[in-house]
Every structure is written in structure tokens, then in C-alpha cells.
Amino acid sequence: MWWDLRSGTPTRRLKIGTGRHPLALSPDGRTAAVGIEGGFELVDIRSGTKREVPSVRGGTPSWLLFDHDGETVVSTSLDGTVALWDLPSATLRETLFGHSGAVMQPAFGPDGTLYTVSHDGTAIAWDLAGERGLERPFTFTHDPSPDPDFPGHPGRFAPDGRLIAVGLQGHGIQLWDSSTMNRFGPPLRETGGEVKDMVFSGDGSTLAATSLDTVTIWDVENRSLRAGPFRSEFFVGISADGSLLATVYGSLFAPVASSGVRLRDVATGEPIGTITNAARAAVGSIAFSPAGSTLAVVHWKGGTVELWDASGPSLVTTLPVERGKDGYGAIAFSPDGRYLATGNWHGKVFIWDLSNSRLVRELDVGEAGAFAVDFSPDGEVLAIGGWEPVVTLWDVATGAQIGSSLGAGNGRAAIDLSPDGGRLLLTRADGRGAIYDVDPDSWARRACMLANRTLTAEEWEEFLPGRPYEPACVS
């Protein structure tokens, strides 16, 4: 009902469904959200037309609230959940879990923080913008239906960590400022197809990218195409000195005689040689060592990893890996060149000590699989991205997983650790990405900044009984 407050009389009526009826009005006064049985309705104030939002978790909302810009509706429920809804599309954006009892009246702070309280006696401040958490999410392309044969969009940090490059839907590469998360110039469009792998040169001046059948070489500073597109496949590497470009040619499912590695001059793109793998097996992926011209080649169906001197080229040595398991598409050197890690879609990752060709660690990441691997700068941590959108961090020395799994969204997860090891770039097949803070030292600093205090001795004893009192936040 609409009321004239001067006369105290109703001026307009609109029939709504049955149920509890929490009510909220958008900041511009054009839309009302009102609870009904099992969900809520969005009502256009001028026309009276309604859009129903059904199937709200926990049944009819206990409270409804618009955010400051009127683009999001918050619904709270008696089961303790808090849901965020996109107003233009009337669809669920995210469900927040943190309370165990009924949540009633939420509130927004001036900075956009959402505050909720519950009958369980807890109050939670939610960082909806993601600016104060360990994850900085962003959307770099819109791809609701990723390529079914090779779903995913690669993402890479530039060597100085200031830029990231991500592959777009259909074709193209977008550069982003990794600090501000603003796009850096227009997209690099002439990639000859949807980019499936890419790599920066060591000095950051060159970016090479492959689609399913082409390779392009880009001048990063001028954001211009330097060479290509050339015929190729979808894995690419650049030697440590920036002179050699290696790409895989031949389909994974083609006869093995037509599968190998093509070497090109980075400056011109001209071919200078090929490597026909000694194992006579389809190439699954490649990686250059961080020093010299050693190139590691892993075969799609396992069996061996070959190490080549690409300047020859000549075969240096081979390492045995699990046979009979296809999907070997993950390979990486540690920054000091001592270790080599390779993994497959079935979730097995092998870590080799190249100083003595000895297998030092075998990791099992489970059903998510191992599609991508990357070492931290000190070589002590291995990040593993899966066919499912899950990323895990592992201690190389002990083989233990560090923390919980990261990731959400749809499709496989491509990963890259920043040059300083403090950030993890995750790009997903559905076009969503995130930069995670994986530096434990920064977590303590951030917690102290947000809390603006430390634990009292009484709180310390309650939450950490038996441990010496060592307050984290000391001015």
C-alpha cells in the first residue's frame, strides 16, 4: 500500500502473494522487494509489474535490503544464510555462509561493508567488494559455454609482476594492471583463434601465444603484433635468454609421427629446427628451464619426460613417469632449475631432482586432476591447478597440502604464481578470475589492520589454550 502521510490515507494498493512480507525500497525509489511464500517479488513502483524470485534458500526471507547503488538485493533467512541477488537479472549472485541461527536485519556501512547479526549471537562484517580479503575476484571475459574440447583461458604474470595477461573468448588477449585491476590498453586481437597457452619472455618485452592451430608473437610495450600468426599447436615456451620459441605441433590424437616440437627465432618467428621426440609419442606439454636452453617435453600418455638441449637440438636424458595414464599436460621447472614437476588429469604429480634424476615426491591431488603446475620463487611450494576449478598449494619438502583448496566457478583452472611468490593468479574456463594473496606474512599484517587490535590474554587462553601468549599485533 502507498500512503499519503499528510492525510494518513492510502492512495494505492497492489496485491501480492501469501507468506511473510519483509519489504525494501531501492535507493532510487523505482523498485520494491517484498517477501512472498518461498521467495520474494521485485515490483516496479511505477507500473506495478512484478518479477518473482523463487526458491530462496531457507524459504521466505526474514529481511530484504538494497545496496547503496541499487544493483544488489540482500535477503536473509531463518536458516542463517545470507543471499546476494542481481537486481537487473533477478538471479542469485552468491550465498554467504557464516551464521548458524536466524539472521534478521542486515545493514550496509558507508564503505559498502555488509553487516549481519544472528540469533546465534554472532555478528559478521562481509567484504562484498573483495578488496580486504585474500581473494581479489575479477571477470575478464564472458564465456558461459567454454570450448568443450579444450576449455579454459590462460593467465600469466609479467616477469615484473605489474601486468597480467589473460586469454579472451573467441580470440584475443587482454592485459591488466595487477595492482589496480584495470585493463591496460585495448585487447590484442589478432591471435588467430582462442588462446590456449601463452608465455612472457624473461625480460617481459615479448608475449607469445598459441591457439589450437596458430602461434603469435607480440611486442608488449607497443602492444603490437611482432610476428605471425604461424601454424602451430597449443603449448608454447620461450628460452631463458629470450631467443628461442618452442611450440608443440601435431594434434594429441594424431599419429605420433606428426607430433613434435618446432623451434623458432623469437625476434622474427622464423623456424630454425624441430624436435621429433625419441619416445615416438604425442607431446603433452613443454617447459624451458630458467637457465640455459634445456627444454623438458612430457608425453601425453606418460611413459617418459625427455630433456633436450634446444640449442642443438640434442637429447640429454629421459625420466620415467607413470605409464598408461593419458592427460599429461602439466610441467614446470623450479626457479633454480633443480626440480621438475609434471602431472596429469588423473591427479598424479611427480617431482624430480634433476641433479641426480631421482624422483623425490609423488603427490595425489584427487579427482580435480593436475592440469597446471607452478613453483614458488624459492622452490618450496608447488601450486597445482585442476581440470575442475580447484587450486591447491603443496609443501615440496614434506608433500603436505598447505591450507584449503582455492577456487570456484566453472571449468578447469589455469594458474600462475607472481614473480615474488606472494600472489596466485587463477583464471577459470567461464571467464572469471582471481588474484589470491598467498603470502602468510601479509595475512598477519592485514588481520591486524582490519581488527585494529590484538587478542587479549583472556581471549588468547580461550582460543589457543596452553600456548604462550604472543600477540600478533604489536605497535
Side-chain angles (χ1 to χ4, degrees):
M1 297 178 66
W2 285 255
W3 295 81
D4 185 318
L5 295 183
R6 290 194 178 96
S7 64
T9 58
T11 61
R12 185 181 173 193
R13 299 170 187 264
L14 181 67
K15 187 173 179 61
I16 57 176
T18 60
R20 295 191 304 274
H21 299 307
L23 176 69
L25 192 65
S26 63
D28 61 8
R30 296 182 178 181
T31 305
V34 58
I36 58 173
E37 191 66 44
F40 64 93
E41 290 179 335
L42 296 170
V43 182
D44 186 293
I45 295 298
R46 295 176 179 176
S47 66
T49 57
K50 295 178 287 185
R51 291 182 294 162
E52 185 173 338
V53 179
S55 304
V56 172
R57 184 184 176 98
T60 303
S62 55
W63 208 277
L64 293 166
L65 175 70
F66 284 87
D67 68 349
H68 293 319
D69 62 12
E71 295 294 313
T72 302
V73 181
V74 179
S75 69
T76 61
S77 299
L78 298 181
D79 70 351
T81 57
V82 179
L84 308 179
W85 303 84
D86 181 71
L87 178 62
S89 64
T91 57
L92 179 64
R93 181 181 299 162
E94 187 175 2
T95 302
L96 308 177
F97 299 92
H99 296 295
S100 60
V103 181
M104 299 302 291
Q105 182 178 2
F108 277 104
D111 62 353
T113 300
L114 174 67
Y115 296 89
T116 57
V117 293
S118 168
H119 288 178
D120 65 8
T122 62
I124 297 178
W126 303 92
D127 175 22
L128 300 186
E131 296 176 350
R132 290 179 289 177
L134 299 179
E135 176 190 14
R136 296 177 61 194
F138 67 104
T139 299
F140 57 88
T141 192
H142 297 280
D143 202 349
S145 302
D147 180 351
D149 296 322
F150 199 98
H153 300 286
R156 295 286 184 269
F157 277 101
D160 62 6
R162 292 186 293 180
L163 292 179
I164 59 175
V166 292
L168 303 178
Q169 181 185 8
H171 61 96
I173 301 167
Q174 179 65 62
L175 298 176
W176 292 69
D177 185 304
S178 66
S179 297
T180 65
M181 293 312 297
N182 293 325
R183 289 177 174 84
F184 186 76
L188 314 177
R189 288 294 187 188
E190 303 168 63
T191 56
E194 188 166 288
V195 172
K196 299 303 181 183
D197 193 20
M198 58 185 170
V199 63
F200 281 95
S201 61
D203 62 3
S205 64
T206 301
L207 177 65
T210 56
S211 68
L212 287 180
D213 56 9
T214 58
V215 58
T216 48
I217 304 172
W218 297 84
D219 184 302
V220 175
E221 182 177 359
N222 298 320
R223 296 191 294 280
S224 61
L225 184 64
R226 180 185 297 166
F230 303 108
R231 185 77 179 175
S232 183
E233 261 296 337
F234 47 69
F235 294 111
V236 62
I238 295 179
S239 61
D241 64 3
S243 64
L244 287 176
L245 176 78
T247 58
V248 175
Y249 67 84
S251 168
L252 296 174
F253 310 105
V256 296
S258 62
S259 178
V261 178
R262 182 172 287 111
L263 302 174
R264 294 181 182 272
D265 183 288
V266 169
T268 64
E270 291 299 314
I272 56 177
T274 59
I275 293 174
T276 303
N277 60 85
R280 307 292 292 171
V283 176
S285 192
I286 56 176
F288 271 107
S289 67
S293 55
T294 300
L295 179 71
V297 179
V298 64
H299 305 116
W300 180 251
K301 292 185 178 295
T304 60
V305 175
E306 297 174 0
L307 297 179
W308 289 78
D309 180 351
S311 64
S314 60
L315 181 64
V316 177
T317 190
T318 60
L319 304 171
V321 294
E322 186 181 30
R323 292 183 179 274
K325 292 288 188 180
D326 61 2
Y328 274 90
I331 191 167
F333 282 91
S334 63
D336 62 3
R338 178 175 178 179
Y339 296 106
L340 179 73
T342 185
N344 62 31
W345 290 0
H346 303 279
K348 289 293 184 68
V349 175
F350 302 92
I351 303 176
W352 297 85
D353 185 335
L354 298 182
S355 65
N356 54 21
S357 298
R358 184 172 62 90
L359 179 65
V360 295
R361 191 69 58 203
E362 180 178 333
L363 307 176
D364 189 346
V365 299
E367 296 180 356
F371 195 91
V373 290
D374 193 23
F375 283 92
S376 62
D378 59 12
E380 296 179 358
V381 176
L382 183 70
I384 303 174
W387 185 255
E388 296 180 8
V390 175
V391 176
T392 49
L393 301 176
W394 297 77
D395 186 295
V396 173
T398 65
Q401 183 175 337
I402 303 170
S404 58
S405 300
L406 307 175
N410 299 308
R412 73 177 181 91
I415 57 171
D416 193 36
L417 282 166
S418 63
D420 63 2
R423 294 173 293 168
L424 174 71
L425 172 63
L426 167 61
T427 52
R428 308 178 183 107
D430 62 0
R432 289 184 288 170
I435 294 180
Y436 285 94
D437 182 347
V438 292
D439 177 13
D441 291 337
S442 76
W443 301 346
R445 294 193 299 270
R446 185 173 306 195
C448 292
M449 179 185 68
L450 294 176
N452 199 29
R453 72 178 186 91
T454 192
L455 293 177
T456 65
E458 291 76 15
E459 291 170 331
W460 184 278
E461 183 58 31
E462 177 183 354
F463 297 114
L464 301 168
R467 291 183 58 177
Y469 181 53
E470 299 175 339
C473 309
V474 180
S475 57

